[in-house]
Amino acid sequence: ISVGVSTQYDEKVIEMVDQHQLALRSVILSVISDFTEDDISGSDGKTKLSDRLLKEMNLKLETLKEFPGIEGVYFTSFVIQ
């Protein structure tokens, strides 16, 4: 899976995402592990996964004392094996 994020705020949010890349990757892997193949087989499942990633990534930024400014999570690559 490859994930992209978006924000309407200034570039500082993207800089924070880059700065905390390892912590956010860990969050992504943790969230993905909670979903089964059946959970994400359709577009509704992918939307639920995207929404959960958005919530959890922003929570992680908050715990790191950063502004939780991620507004969108998008899949740029998605392979299920």
Side-chain angles (χ1 to χ4, degrees):
I1 186 169
S2 295
V3 175
V5 299
S6 68
T7 183
Q8 292 182 17
Y9 298 101
D10 60 19
E11 286 196 29
K12 197 157 184 119
V13 173
I14 300 302
E15 289 172 14
M16 286 185 299
V17 168
D18 286 339
Q19 180 182 352
H20 298 293
Q21 180 177 160
L22 292 176
L24 293 174
R25 283 184 187 197
S26 180
V27 167
I28 291 168
L29 291 174
S30 178
V31 169
I32 289 172
S33 69
D34 289 341
F35 283 74
T36 66
E37 184 177 339
D38 289 338
D39 291 339
I40 56 175
S41 63
S43 62
D44 287 341
K46 288 179 182 68
T47 299
K48 287 178 185 175
L49 176 58
S50 176
D51 291 345
R52 175 98 179 274
L53 287 170
L54 175 66
K55 177 185 170 194
E56 297 298 328
M57 291 171 74
N58 275 325
L59 283 173
K60 185 61 168 179
L61 287 175
E62 280 186 78
T63 63
L64 295 169
K65 307 292 187 218
E66 301 287 3
F67 176 68
I70 298 172
E71 295 180 306
V73 173
Y74 304 95
F75 303 116
T76 57
S77 174
F78 206 107
V79 176
I80 300 173
Q81 294 183 351

